[in-house]
Every structure is written in structure tokens, then in C-alpha cells.
Amino acid sequence: MRAAKIVMTSLAAAGLITTAALAQQSMSGMVTKIDRLSGTISIQQTQTGTVGAAGGAIQEYKVAKGQSLEELHAGDKVTFTTTDGDGGKTINKLDKQK
């Protein structure tokens, strides 16, 4: 009985860690619009897979407090991680690609 509890607890912990890792999966795309006043940014995700495929859908994200949008412009390629919240998707980490 005790061994079963340990196994179940381990599986639950592994599931939480995996879920957190997937929730903050790194993505890449191109900035299409920046609204510095409302703290939002629109990014067209880079399509993965088939060569010659059209770009992904454009999505608007909120930017976490403390993150600056000043160095970014439309057309910049970025990598980013997001989390889902009550008010939509929020960017936690945003880096400009060189």
C-alpha cells in the first residue's frame, strides 16, 4: 500500500512538471504589430514542418509587467514563451533574434 502511494505521488509530480514545461514551450515568430500603450504585441508564429508552407496565424498577446517593448519593431523576428491566464495569453519571455 505504501509503495503504491509513493508511485502515485511520483507520477503526479512528474505530470505537473511536464505540464509546466509544455505550458512554457519556446516559440518563434515575426512581430506584426506593437501597442505600447496597452502593452500588447501581435506575433505571426513561424510555421514548422513543410517547406514552403504559409506562415501561422497572427495572435495578440499581453506582455508581462516589467518587459520593455521599446527595442522591438514590426518585422522583427522573436522567440518567446507564453502562459494562459484569465485575460488571455501572456508573454513571459521575449527575445529578439539576431
Side-chain angles (χ1 to χ4, degrees):
M1 182 75 167
R2 187 170 189 191
K5 284 184 181 180
I6 292 172
V7 170
M8 293 303 286
T9 304
S10 298
L11 289 173
L16 288 175
I17 291 170
T18 303
T19 302
L22 291 175
Q24 293 193 2
Q25 189 175 28
S26 182
M27 297 179 276
S28 62
M30 183 179 66
V31 176
T32 58
K33 182 176 113 182
I34 299 173
D35 187 346
R36 290 179 176 85
L37 294 176
S38 66
T40 60
I41 186 169
S42 295
I43 299 175
Q44 181 176 16
Q45 275 190 280
T46 304
Q47 192 75 359
T48 58
T50 308
V51 175
I58 297 173
Q59 287 192 324
E60 184 172 273
Y61 301 94
K62 292 182 180 181
V63 178
K65 292 185 180 185
Q67 282 228 332
S68 175
L69 294 174
E70 294 303 315
E71 67 275 358
L72 293 173
H73 303 286
D76 287 346
K77 295 189 186 284
V78 295
T79 56
F80 59 100
T81 58
T82 64
T83 55
D84 289 331
D86 294 334
K89 293 186 179 188
T90 302
I91 291 183
N92 297 324
K93 183 178 179 186
L94 181 64
D95 295 315
K96 184 176 177 179
Q97 293 179 350
K98 295 179 182 182

XYZ file of all heavy atoms in Angstrom:
702
model
N 0.827 -1.194 0.000
C 0.000 0.000 0.000
C 0.872 1.259 0.000
O 0.580 2.201 -0.701
C -0.924 -0.048 1.220
C -1.856 1.101 1.311
S -3.161 0.881 0.099
C -4.276 2.091 0.642
N 1.926 1.225 0.814
C 2.813 2.385 0.909
C 3.560 2.602 -0.408
O 3.753 3.729 -0.844
C 3.791 2.194 2.055
C 4.602 3.422 2.307
C 5.380 3.301 3.583
N 5.974 4.602 3.863
C 6.870 4.809 4.758
N 7.289 3.820 5.510
N 7.359 6.013 4.936
N 3.999 1.512 -1.025
C 4.702 1.614 -2.310
C 3.784 2.210 -3.380
O 4.223 3.014 -4.214
C 5.211 0.245 -2.743
N 2.531 1.843 -3.358
C 1.573 2.385 -4.330
C 1.405 3.894 -4.143
O 1.318 4.640 -5.123
C 0.229 1.686 -4.193
N 1.377 4.365 -2.903
C 1.267 5.802 -2.635
C 2.485 6.547 -3.156
O 2.365 7.626 -3.747
C 1.103 6.061 -1.136
C -0.266 5.756 -0.609
C -0.368 6.129 0.857
C -1.732 5.802 1.416
N -1.841 6.160 2.827
N 3.659 5.968 -2.966
C 4.894 6.606 -3.438
C 4.893 6.688 -4.960
O 5.229 7.729 -5.543
C 6.130 5.830 -2.922
C 6.242 6.000 -1.400
C 7.403 6.315 -3.607
C 7.288 5.136 -0.758
N 4.484 5.617 -5.612
C 4.432 5.602 -7.070
C 3.425 6.623 -7.578
O 3.704 7.386 -8.507
C 4.098 4.183 -7.591
C 3.794 4.212 -9.085
C 5.232 3.228 -7.289
N 2.263 6.668 -6.991
C 1.225 7.619 -7.425
C 1.669 9.062 -7.205
O 1.438 9.930 -8.043
C -0.097 7.342 -6.695
C -0.729 6.006 -7.073
S -1.026 5.850 -8.844
C -2.407 6.931 -9.027
N 2.317 9.337 -6.089
C 2.815 10.681 -5.804
C 3.885 11.064 -6.815
O 3.910 12.195 -7.311
C 3.380 10.764 -4.369
O 2.368 10.361 -3.456
C 3.848 12.156 -4.038
N 4.769 10.142 -7.145
C 5.820 10.402 -8.131
C 5.230 10.683 -9.506
O 5.673 11.597 -10.207
C 6.775 9.217 -8.216
O 7.415 9.006 -6.980
N 4.235 9.909 -9.901
C 3.592 10.127 -11.195
C 2.872 11.471 -11.246
O 2.910 12.166 -12.261
C 2.616 8.997 -11.506
C 3.243 7.640 -11.845
C 2.162 6.576 -11.968
C 4.043 7.740 -13.125
N 2.224 11.844 -10.169
C 1.535 13.141 -10.121
C 2.543 14.284 -10.226
O 2.317 15.258 -10.947
C 0.724 13.259 -8.836
N 3.656 14.168 -9.524
C 4.687 15.213 -9.584
C 5.279 15.310 -10.988
O 5.488 16.406 -11.516
C 5.780 14.923 -8.565
N 5.537 14.168 -11.610
C 6.070 14.167 -12.965
C 5.069 14.791 -13.942
O 5.457 15.525 -14.846
C 6.414 12.750 -13.404
N 3.799 14.533 -13.743
C 2.767 15.123 -14.594
C 2.713 16.636 -14.474
O 2.567 17.339 -15.465
N 2.859 17.145 -13.276
C 2.852 18.597 -13.071
C 4.068 19.249 -13.712
O 3.952 20.312 -14.328
C 2.818 18.917 -11.578
C 1.494 18.630 -10.867
C 1.633 18.867 -9.371
C 0.387 19.493 -11.439
N 5.216 18.628 -13.575
C 6.432 19.182 -14.171
C 6.316 19.185 -15.691
O 6.657 20.160 -16.348
C 7.668 18.389 -13.702
C 7.905 18.640 -12.215
C 8.902 18.757 -14.518
C 8.933 17.747 -11.570
N 5.809 18.111 -16.263
C 5.641 18.018 -17.708
C 4.646 19.060 -18.205
O 4.879 19.723 -19.211
C 5.167 16.608 -18.109
O 6.101 15.660 -17.619
C 5.046 16.477 -19.615
N 3.550 19.237 -17.495
C 2.550 20.236 -17.873
C 3.140 21.630 -17.840
O 2.909 22.435 -18.738
C 1.328 20.155 -16.940
O 0.794 18.839 -17.006
C 0.262 21.152 -17.345
N 3.911 21.959 -16.820
C 4.539 23.275 -16.725
C 5.535 23.483 -17.855
O 5.615 24.565 -18.431
C 5.221 23.431 -15.374
N 6.273 22.457 -18.205
C 7.242 22.580 -19.296
C 6.542 22.800 -20.624
O 6.987 23.593 -21.450
C 8.120 21.338 -19.356
N 5.448 22.108 -20.861
C 4.714 22.287 -22.107
C 4.015 23.635 -22.163
O 3.861 24.215 -23.227
C 3.699 21.158 -22.279
C 4.276 19.779 -22.556
C 3.163 18.745 -22.582
C 5.063 19.758 -23.844
N 3.578 24.141 -21.034
C 2.879 25.415 -20.996
C 3.809 26.560 -21.359
O 3.363 27.584 -21.848
C 2.274 25.647 -19.620
N 5.102 26.390 -21.124
C 6.058 27.449 -21.422
C 7.016 27.034 -22.531
O 8.189 27.340 -22.493
C 6.817 27.832 -20.162
C 5.951 28.493 -19.142
C 6.751 29.137 -18.036
O 7.956 29.123 -18.042
N 6.061 29.702 -17.088
N 6.496 26.364 -23.509
C 7.304 25.927 -24.630
C 7.750 27.134 -25.441
O 6.975 28.042 -25.703
C 6.480 24.986 -25.492
C 7.258 24.302 -26.561
C 6.402 23.289 -27.294
O 5.189 23.448 -27.368
N 7.027 22.277 -27.829
N 9.001 27.144 -25.835
C 9.545 28.259 -26.598
C 9.003 28.239 -28.026
O 8.963 27.198 -28.666
C 11.069 28.168 -26.609
O 11.608 29.264 -27.303
N 8.565 29.390 -28.488
C 8.035 29.538 -29.842
C 8.787 30.656 -30.539
O 9.468 31.449 -29.886
C 6.543 29.864 -29.787
C 5.704 28.769 -29.162
S 3.962 29.198 -29.077
C 3.925 30.137 -27.563
N 8.650 30.734 -31.843
C 9.281 31.817 -32.584
C 8.291 32.376 -33.593
O 7.321 31.719 -33.961
C 10.548 31.329 -33.288
O 10.236 30.327 -34.213
N 8.538 33.605 -34.003
C 7.656 34.237 -34.963
C 8.145 35.620 -35.352
O 9.263 36.018 -35.019
N 7.277 36.364 -36.056
C 7.607 37.703 -36.506
C 6.587 38.690 -35.939
O 5.380 38.444 -35.984
C 7.580 37.776 -38.032
C 7.981 39.137 -38.578
S 7.987 39.216 -40.373
C 6.260 39.021 -40.749
N 7.093 39.782 -35.405
C 6.233 40.824 -34.841
C 5.480 41.496 -35.985
O 6.081 41.907 -36.976
C 7.072 41.871 -34.066
C 6.195 43.001 -33.575
C 7.819 41.222 -32.923
N 4.160 41.586 -35.862
C 3.361 42.253 -36.889
C 2.797 43.582 -36.406
O 2.553 44.477 -37.202
C 2.197 41.367 -37.367
O 1.381 41.026 -36.256
C 2.726 40.102 -38.034
N 2.590 43.706 -35.083
C 2.025 44.945 -34.540
C 2.400 45.063 -33.067
O 2.407 44.072 -32.344
C 0.506 44.927 -34.690
C -0.195 46.184 -34.214
C -1.683 46.094 -34.493
C -2.414 46.029 -33.183
N -3.848 45.889 -33.316
N 2.701 46.281 -32.624
C 3.005 46.542 -31.220
C 2.127 47.687 -30.740
O 2.060 48.731 -31.388
C 4.490 46.926 -31.027
C 5.394 45.794 -31.477
C 4.768 47.281 -29.576
C 6.867 46.143 -31.480
N 1.458 47.493 -29.628
C 0.671 48.550 -28.988
C 1.298 48.805 -27.620
O 0.993 48.123 -26.645
C -0.787 48.138 -28.861
C -1.667 49.268 -28.362
O -1.125 50.284 -27.854
O -2.890 49.155 -28.480
N 2.197 49.762 -27.571
C 2.936 50.038 -26.341
C 2.045 50.621 -25.248
O 2.305 50.431 -24.069
C 4.114 50.958 -26.641
C 5.200 50.264 -27.453
C 6.372 51.193 -27.777
N 7.431 50.491 -28.457
C 7.483 50.288 -29.774
N 6.498 50.727 -30.540
N 8.483 49.640 -30.325
N 0.992 51.320 -25.636
C 0.103 51.923 -24.639
C -0.697 50.867 -23.877
O -0.864 50.950 -22.665
C -0.853 52.920 -25.303
C -0.189 54.155 -25.903
C -1.235 55.022 -26.611
C 0.522 54.955 -24.835
N -1.186 49.850 -24.586
C -1.972 48.815 -23.912
C -1.115 47.620 -23.485
O -1.598 46.719 -22.809
C -3.106 48.332 -24.813
O -2.583 47.668 -25.938
N 0.172 47.602 -23.885
C 1.066 46.521 -23.503
C 0.771 45.210 -24.202
O 0.860 44.141 -23.614
N 0.425 45.299 -25.501
C 0.151 44.090 -26.266
C 1.048 44.043 -27.498
O 1.539 45.068 -27.973
C -1.321 44.001 -26.720
O -1.622 45.132 -27.542
C -2.259 43.947 -25.530
N 1.244 42.837 -28.002
C 2.053 42.635 -29.200
C 1.395 41.537 -30.031
O 0.877 40.567 -29.489
C 3.506 42.264 -28.812
C 4.404 42.181 -30.034
C 3.547 40.983 -28.013
C 5.888 42.084 -29.690
N 1.392 41.722 -31.341
C 0.850 40.707 -32.250
C 2.019 40.020 -32.942
O 2.925 40.685 -33.449
C -0.063 41.335 -33.300
O -1.204 41.892 -32.676
N 1.992 38.681 -32.929
C 3.082 37.896 -33.498
C 2.510 36.844 -34.428
O 1.551 36.155 -34.084
C 3.907 37.216 -32.386
C 4.527 38.275 -31.476
C 4.975 36.302 -32.977
C 5.265 37.701 -30.290
N 3.114 36.724 -35.608
C 2.769 35.652 -36.537
C 3.781 34.545 -36.303
O 4.968 34.713 -36.544
C 2.836 36.126 -37.981
C 2.460 35.043 -38.966
C 2.435 35.548 -40.395
O 2.966 36.606 -40.704
N 1.812 34.788 -41.270
N 3.287 33.404 -35.796
C 4.173 32.296 -35.480
C 4.811 31.727 -36.729
O 4.185 31.664 -37.786
C 3.421 31.183 -34.760
C 3.337 31.406 -33.280
C 2.817 30.167 -32.600
O 1.625 29.932 -32.607
N 3.713 29.403 -32.029
N 6.071 31.298 -36.586
C 6.781 30.653 -37.670
C 6.213 29.259 -37.856
O 6.063 28.514 -36.893
C 8.284 30.557 -37.348
O 8.779 31.868 -37.079
C 9.052 29.933 -38.482
N 5.867 28.932 -39.085
C 5.314 27.622 -39.399
C 6.441 26.600 -39.377
O 7.485 26.812 -39.963
C 4.655 27.662 -40.780
C 3.821 26.470 -41.096
C 2.488 26.480 -40.369
O 2.192 27.371 -39.610
N 1.699 25.469 -40.595
N 6.221 25.489 -38.695
C 7.220 24.428 -38.676
C 6.743 23.281 -39.544
O 5.548 23.108 -39.776
C 7.435 23.904 -37.243
O 6.194 23.441 -36.725
C 7.987 24.984 -36.344
N 7.660 22.514 -40.036
C 7.275 21.330 -40.804
C 7.537 21.497 -42.275
O 8.664 21.636 -42.713
N 6.496 21.528 -43.065
C 6.594 21.504 -44.514
C 7.306 22.738 -45.056
O 6.990 23.860 -44.685
C 5.184 21.436 -45.135
O 4.481 20.350 -44.543
C 5.258 21.260 -46.632
N 8.238 22.510 -45.958
C 8.945 23.612 -46.605
C 7.976 24.320 -47.541
O 7.236 23.687 -48.277
C 10.166 23.081 -47.387
C 10.840 24.202 -48.163
C 11.135 22.416 -46.451
N 7.977 25.634 -47.500
C 7.111 26.407 -48.365
C 5.712 26.620 -47.828
O 4.877 27.214 -48.483
N 5.441 26.147 -46.598
C 4.114 26.338 -46.014
C 3.921 27.806 -45.665
O 4.862 28.519 -45.344
C 3.956 25.475 -44.766
N 2.697 28.256 -45.736
C 2.374 29.635 -45.371
C 2.599 29.838 -43.879
O 2.582 28.889 -43.105
C 0.933 29.942 -45.739
N 2.791 31.091 -43.479
C 3.011 31.404 -42.071
C 1.796 31.084 -41.227
O 0.696 30.906 -41.722
N 2.015 30.989 -39.920
C 0.934 30.674 -38.997
C 0.010 31.862 -38.793
O 0.210 32.946 -39.338
N -0.993 31.647 -37.990
C -1.961 32.692 -37.690
C -1.325 33.777 -36.826
O -0.409 33.518 -36.050
C -3.162 32.093 -36.975
N -1.826 34.975 -36.942
C -1.343 36.089 -36.127
C -2.151 36.102 -34.838
O -3.387 36.071 -34.871
C -1.500 37.423 -36.873
C -0.638 37.414 -38.136
C -1.126 38.582 -35.965
C -0.851 38.605 -39.037
N -1.447 36.129 -33.701
C -2.109 36.167 -32.405
C -1.631 37.376 -31.625
O -0.472 37.786 -31.739
C -1.825 34.908 -31.606
C -2.537 33.694 -32.121
C -2.460 32.552 -31.128
O -1.468 32.371 -30.448
N -3.527 31.779 -31.049
N -2.531 37.926 -30.828
C -2.190 39.056 -29.978
C -1.951 38.554 -28.565
O -2.724 37.742 -28.052
C -3.310 40.095 -29.984
C -2.950 41.341 -29.196
C -3.980 42.442 -29.364
O -3.853 43.215 -30.322
O -4.889 42.492 -28.530
N -0.882 39.019 -27.943
C -0.501 38.597 -26.603
C -0.349 39.820 -25.707
O 0.060 40.888 -26.163
C 0.849 37.870 -26.625
C 0.890 36.649 -27.493
C 1.344 36.724 -28.810
C 0.489 35.414 -27.007
C 1.398 35.594 -29.607
C 0.544 34.275 -27.806
C 0.994 34.378 -29.102
O 1.049 33.265 -29.882
N -0.635 39.631 -24.437
C -0.305 40.648 -23.440
C 1.155 40.440 -23.068
O 1.670 39.332 -23.163
C -1.176 40.491 -22.201
C -2.628 40.803 -22.443
C -3.399 40.682 -21.168
C -4.866 40.995 -21.433
N -5.669 40.915 -20.232
N 1.799 41.501 -22.640
C 3.198 41.408 -22.235
C 3.261 41.569 -20.723
O 2.618 42.468 -20.160
C 4.049 42.480 -22.940
C 5.495 42.403 -22.487
C 3.964 42.306 -24.451
N 4.009 40.688 -20.064
C 4.127 40.731 -18.605
C 4.696 42.077 -18.162
O 5.505 42.694 -18.865
C 5.029 39.596 -18.126
N 4.258 42.530 -17.003
C 4.754 43.796 -16.459
C 6.254 43.714 -16.260
O 6.785 42.688 -15.868
C 4.065 44.114 -15.140
C 2.610 44.433 -15.328
C 1.959 44.860 -14.047
C 0.498 45.152 -14.343
N -0.210 45.686 -13.217
N 6.928 44.795 -16.555
C 8.375 44.840 -16.414
C 9.112 44.537 -17.708
O 10.305 44.749 -17.795
N 8.405 44.039 -18.716
C 9.042 43.764 -20.001
C 8.913 44.986 -20.897
O 7.837 45.558 -21.034
C 8.378 42.575 -20.686
C 8.795 41.261 -20.132
C 9.159 40.297 -21.249
O 8.655 40.386 -22.339
N 10.052 39.398 -20.937
N 10.006 45.368 -21.510
C 10.015 46.534 -22.387
C 9.764 46.122 -23.833
O 10.302 45.123 -24.309
C 11.359 47.249 -22.284
O 11.423 48.296 -23.213
N 8.958 46.906 -24.521
C 8.705 46.692 -25.945
C 9.436 47.736 -26.793
O 9.287 47.765 -28.008
C 7.205 46.763 -26.229
C 6.338 45.677 -25.614
C 4.869 45.970 -25.850
C 6.709 44.321 -26.163
N 10.229 48.586 -26.159
C 10.854 49.713 -26.844
C 11.837 49.304 -27.933
O 11.950 49.972 -28.944
C 11.554 50.630 -25.834
C 10.600 51.329 -24.880
C 9.549 52.156 -25.608
O 9.890 52.885 -26.553
O 8.371 52.064 -25.222
N 12.566 48.204 -27.748
C 13.577 47.815 -28.729
C 13.011 46.987 -29.873
O 13.720 46.642 -30.794
C 14.734 47.066 -28.058
C 14.364 45.706 -27.500
C 13.770 45.742 -26.097
O 13.661 46.809 -25.484
O 13.398 44.669 -25.613
N 11.721 46.672 -29.816
C 11.099 45.853 -30.857
C 10.326 46.703 -31.859
O 9.768 47.742 -31.508
C 10.148 44.836 -30.232
C 10.801 43.754 -29.384
C 9.740 42.925 -28.685
C 11.689 42.863 -30.224
N 10.295 46.223 -33.097
C 9.559 46.887 -34.174
C 8.867 45.836 -35.032
O 9.275 44.670 -35.033
C 10.505 47.715 -35.041
C 11.285 48.735 -34.275
N 10.732 49.887 -33.790
C 12.574 48.742 -33.868
C 11.645 50.584 -33.142
N 12.772 49.906 -33.164
N 7.839 46.246 -35.771
C 7.162 45.325 -36.688
C 8.177 44.783 -37.683
O 9.018 45.519 -38.194
C 6.026 46.037 -37.408
N 8.128 43.479 -37.928
C 9.067 42.833 -38.838
C 10.208 42.132 -38.129
O 10.909 41.327 -38.733
N 10.411 42.424 -36.840
C 11.475 41.756 -36.072
C 11.106 40.299 -35.832
O 9.950 39.975 -35.565
C 11.692 42.436 -34.721
C 12.397 43.776 -34.830
O 12.960 44.066 -35.905
O 12.383 44.526 -33.840
N 12.089 39.428 -35.898
C 11.894 38.013 -35.575
C 12.220 37.836 -34.096
O 13.216 38.376 -33.609
C 12.773 37.135 -36.444
C 12.381 37.210 -37.916
C 13.106 36.176 -38.734
C 12.827 36.344 -40.198
N 11.565 35.895 -40.642
N 11.346 37.106 -33.384
C 11.483 36.940 -31.943
C 11.275 35.488 -31.535
O 10.667 34.706 -32.260
C 10.474 37.833 -31.182
C 10.755 39.297 -31.394
C 9.043 37.505 -31.580
N 11.794 35.149 -30.364
C 11.455 33.899 -29.691
C 10.761 34.293 -28.404
O 11.105 35.311 -27.784
C 12.692 33.035 -29.395
O 13.614 33.801 -28.623
C 13.361 32.569 -30.670
N 9.787 33.480 -27.969
C 9.010 33.860 -26.805
C 8.386 32.644 -26.145
O 8.262 31.587 -26.742
C 7.925 34.875 -27.181
C 6.944 34.378 -28.215
C 5.692 33.906 -27.834
C 7.248 34.377 -29.567
C 4.777 33.454 -28.765
C 6.342 33.929 -30.518
C 5.101 33.465 -30.109
N 8.017 32.819 -24.870
C 7.254 31.806 -24.145
C 5.998 32.473 -23.609
O 6.005 33.660 -23.285
C 8.048 31.196 -22.970
O 8.431 32.241 -22.074
C 9.290 30.472 -23.461
N 4.912 31.715 -23.547
C 3.634 32.257 -23.094
C 3.016 31.379 -22.022
O 3.374 30.212 -21.877
C 2.622 32.353 -24.251
O 2.325 31.046 -24.728
C 3.129 33.219 -25.377
N 2.083 31.977 -21.285
C 1.237 31.228 -20.369
C -0.199 31.684 -20.594
O -0.441 32.821 -21.003
C 1.604 31.448 -18.889
O 1.578 32.847 -18.607
C 2.971 30.886 -18.567
N -1.133 30.783 -20.365
C -2.544 31.122 -20.480
C -3.036 31.632 -19.141
O -2.755 31.043 -18.100
C -3.373 29.899 -20.884
C -3.114 29.494 -22.318
O -2.773 30.379 -23.124
O -3.247 28.305 -22.633
N -3.785 32.730 -19.179
C -4.352 33.287 -17.959
C -5.805 33.628 -18.171
O -6.398 33.313 -19.207
N -6.389 34.291 -17.194
C -7.796 34.678 -17.279
C -8.044 35.666 -18.407
O -9.065 35.616 -19.073
C -8.255 35.286 -15.953
C -8.240 34.259 -14.826
O -8.371 33.058 -15.129
O -8.103 34.670 -13.662
N -7.107 36.573 -18.619
C -7.293 37.601 -19.639
C -6.717 37.235 -20.984
O -6.541 38.089 -21.837
N -6.367 35.988 -21.219
C -5.786 35.578 -22.490
C -4.353 35.116 -22.307
O -3.909 34.821 -21.200
N -3.606 35.071 -23.406
C -2.226 34.616 -23.357
C -1.302 35.775 -23.014
O -1.462 36.875 -23.528
C -1.814 34.007 -24.691
C -2.547 32.722 -24.980
C -2.024 32.062 -26.223
C -2.773 30.760 -26.444
N -2.212 29.979 -27.513
N -0.331 35.485 -22.142
C 0.634 36.492 -21.714
C 2.036 36.010 -22.032
O 2.379 34.861 -21.767
C 0.521 36.753 -20.195
O -0.818 37.172 -19.898
C 1.496 37.821 -19.744
N 2.854 36.900 -22.593
C 4.244 36.571 -22.891
C 5.070 36.762 -21.630
O 5.049 37.828 -21.018
C 4.783 37.444 -24.034
C 4.099 37.052 -25.334
C 6.299 37.312 -24.143
C 4.588 37.789 -26.550
N 5.798 35.711 -21.251
C 6.665 35.775 -20.079
C 8.081 36.191 -20.465
O 8.714 36.948 -19.755
C 6.738 34.410 -19.385
C 5.392 33.995 -18.868
O 4.611 34.808 -18.424
N 5.124 32.710 -18.943
N 8.559 35.640 -21.565
C 9.925 35.899 -22.011
C 9.861 36.227 -23.486
O 9.250 35.512 -24.267
C 10.791 34.670 -21.750
C 12.235 34.862 -22.097
C 13.046 33.625 -21.770
C 14.489 33.835 -22.156
N 15.286 32.631 -22.000
N 10.538 37.312 -23.875
C 10.517 37.771 -25.262
C 11.914 38.205 -25.636
O 12.478 39.108 -25.018
C 9.522 38.932 -25.409
C 9.335 39.549 -26.771
C 8.737 38.541 -27.751
C 8.432 40.768 -26.688
N 12.508 37.546 -26.627
C 13.863 37.864 -27.073
C 13.876 38.123 -28.566
O 13.305 37.354 -29.346
C 14.824 36.704 -26.759
C 14.994 36.471 -25.270
O 15.159 37.465 -24.538
O 14.941 35.306 -24.852
N 14.562 39.178 -28.973
C 14.732 39.497 -30.375
C 15.832 38.611 -30.951
O 16.891 38.470 -30.363
C 15.103 40.971 -30.530
C 15.212 41.459 -31.934
C 15.493 42.949 -31.938
C 15.680 43.467 -33.336
N 15.929 44.924 -33.341
N 15.561 37.988 -32.105
C 16.567 37.167 -32.764
C 17.524 38.063 -33.537
O 17.132 39.114 -34.029
C 15.915 36.169 -33.725
C 15.091 35.119 -33.037
C 14.437 34.167 -34.035
O 14.447 34.390 -35.225
N 13.851 33.103 -33.514
N 18.750 37.610 -33.643
C 19.750 38.418 -34.353
C 19.900 37.989 -35.773
O 19.543 37.002 -36.224
C 21.090 38.310 -33.639
C 20.992 38.913 -32.265
C 22.291 38.788 -31.540
C 22.074 39.382 -30.144
N 23.174 39.403 -29.332
